[in-house]
Amino acid sequence: MNRALRLTALRVRRQFLDWSGGWWFTLTLVANEAIGPLVGLFVWSTVFPDDRRVISYFVALIAVQLMTASYENHTFSETVYQGTVSHELLKPQPVIVNPIGENLAIRIWMTLFGLPLTVLTGLGLGSSYRWPDLLLAIPALACAAILRFLFTWILALTAFWTERVHAVVTFGSVLISLLGGAAAPISLLPAPWRAIAVALPFHAMLGLPADIATGAVDGPAAAVALARGLAWILVFTALAVVVWRSGIRRYTAVGA
Amino acid sequence: MIAFNLVMIVAEDLTMTYRVPVRDGGLTAALRSVVRRRYRDVHAVAQVSFAIAPGEVVGFIGPNGAGKTTTMKMLSGLLHPTSGVVRVLGFTPWQRRTPFLKQITLIRGSQPVGGSQELTVLDALEYQRLLYEVPSGEFRRNLADLTGLLELEPLLERQLRALSLGEKMRAGLALALLYGPKVLFLDEPTLGLDVSATATIRRFLAGHAARTGATILLTSHYMADVQSLCQRLILIDRGRVQYDGPLRELAARLSPYKLVRLNAPAATTDDVEPAGEIVESANGTWVLRVPRERVAQVTARLLTTLDVADLAVEEPALENVIDRAYRDGLP
């Protein structure tokens, strides 16, 4: 295992321990992440009371939401505001190792708390899935996890320029919710809006794994959607490098 | 020109200029600034040059806003200088190469321990071991040494966030020194500490410098820190180096007087006054301010003309000397 991976694993372990003291706070995060899909579930299952796939979709969406949640505006941006990012800059490791480690640790805790509740909700509401669809959704889930981290990370880096990073990230979250499939399943959008939503990265960040898990997107369509998600990962990675370099240049020119 | 290979730290014409937005007060100015921002250059550090040899312990002092912390940040790699040359251990600091980062440490009194505060001190030390790839044997030895010297034993199992400021500084020093850095940048390490904690840190740092031969650059507003640790002083003011040399020479240069403390219960003001300016007098004890070149002559005269119970010649307090340098500049 190379050094970067070892350091990331180390950081995940450290942050996992760190977050173990705040289980009650993790529960509030779980509730907060679940609210959006739950609202969608109630609204759309009222509109389509006979379509069980709507229930399955939104239950899957809760799971995706929990496993891809990103809070870099809280974890990283605050270190810029407090000047403690300086400590990280002087450590012999890439700075991004810490946000990645903390992101993964939080997601693990949220999954541990939230997934059993989600499964119970799904069982209670009668959602159902086919095993092949669930297996096919795993790569899409991994893609969503990476994309959502990169997206939030790029927005969180605006902390180098503005003190309003939370507003910036909230705007990003609204886009994910509106165009990612939480406000409405992409398959229910009118054709032009659906085409736009599918082409943008937000569906791959949230709704795609749920669509694949429920069989709404399968076969070649799933492969194309996944390939599109991977392409967005490349774009966001390049963008993250550019924004990071620019931000750190500004930080080291202005100081903390 | 400075010979780069003979020194640990080199700064040559180091300059840092910040560009800060400015605007007039009022609504009109606020609206105007939306479309047309105005900036002003702030020269935090201007053409600072010095070199520090391996093993030197140097005090870096100056009034608030003089440029100490900015210089320290440039030397440690946190700031990219606007111009000039800076080399530490042969590296360009702002590039923050891993081999460089593994050989330096920056300890800030305002933030002695960075990162997560939820971990215990021992967990944090263990994390530091893995991060800096300290071999197990060396880790055990260093941990034992640091635990003894910094009285860490009662702190090891406590969470960082629950430590007092003095305890945090002791833990911060242990974390910073665990991997044996060759260059230490100490930015006000005794800031806000009580007398006892300050003494512990001073004792530890003096011992550490002697034991390891580490190169130390120390900023502090407490002259006792500087006096107890540093032979050499760099005084910076308004971003420029005003003095670079031995501490005692600065004292002599800034204060052409010495203090003669005289205990002569039978003496009167008329007896003492001709010897020098009376600074203090109480219960038969007099403190006189005497020009350095006249000290021998004055003390001899006092001893022969008065019934002297005790007499001592003292340097003026460094605090007073430096205060004068800050206020009036160097002569």
Side-chain angles (χ1 to χ4, degrees), chain A residues 37 57-69 111 114-115 118 141:
Chain A
Y57 172 81
F58 279 105
V59 170
L61 202 70
I62 295 173
V64 176
Q65 185 89 322
L66 294 174
M67 289 189 269
T68 61
T111 306
L115 203 58
T118 309
L141 181 65

Side-chain angles (χ1 to χ4, degrees), chain B residues 218-261:
Chain B
L218 164 85
T219 75
S220 181
H221 286 299
Y222 305 120
M223 287 307 120
D225 287 350
V226 177
Q227 252 173 322
S228 65
L229 294 168
C230 311
Q231 295 295 309
R232 177 181 162 196
L233 210 63
I234 298 174
L235 194 152
I236 185 171
D237 192 13
R238 287 182 282 270
R240 291 177 186 277
V241 172
Q242 305 290 336
Y243 174 82
D244 182 354
L247 177 61
R248 61 181 180 283
E249 272 183 27
L250 178 68
R253 186 169 153 195
L254 283 171
S255 180
Y257 296 92
K258 284 198 173 192
L259 299 176
V260 175
R261 186 175 293 273

Side-chain angles (χ1 to χ4, degrees), chain A residues 3 6-7 10-15 17-19 21-22 82-95 97-98 244 248-256, chain B residues 16-19 73 76-81 94 96 98 100-102 104-106 108 111-119 123-124 127-128 130-133 160 179:
Chain A
R3 182 173 155 77
R6 267 189 295 123
L7 289 171
L10 186 65
R11 188 69 191 182
V12 172
R13 184 176 171 275
R14 178 175 163 164
Q15 286 299 333
L17 290 175
D18 218 13
W19 277 74
Q82 291 162 12
T84 51
V85 71
S86 298
H87 288 283
E88 305 308 323
L89 286 170
L90 294 185
K91 284 182 182 164
Q93 66 172 9
V95 173
V97 163
N98 283 356
W244 166 258
I248 212 67
R249 205 177 301 125
R250 180 182 162 83
Y251 185 81
T252 56
V254 175
Chain B
M16 185 73 203
T17 305
Y18 297 117
R19 193 161 171 254
K73 284 181 175 175
S76 61
L78 283 176
L79 284 179
H80 190 310
W94 57 263
R96 293 189 300 279
T98 298
F100 166 72
L101 296 175
K102 283 187 171 180
I104 66 137
T105 191
L106 168 67
R108 296 163 77 175
Q111 291 172 341
V113 184
S116 167
Q117 301 293 299
E118 299 296 323
L119 296 182
D123 277 340
Y127 180 74
Q128 201 79 335
L130 296 164
L131 185 60
Y132 285 87
E133 299 179 297
L160 289 167
Y179 54 93

Side-chain angles (χ1 to χ4, degrees), chain B residues 11 14 29 33 35 44 46 106 129 158 181 210 225 263 273 277 298 315:
Chain B
L14 201 56
S33 74
V35 287
L106 168 67
R129 174 183 84 78
R158 288 174 56 192
D225 287 350
N263 184 240
E273 205 163 30
E277 183 192 338
V298 165
E315 287 286 350

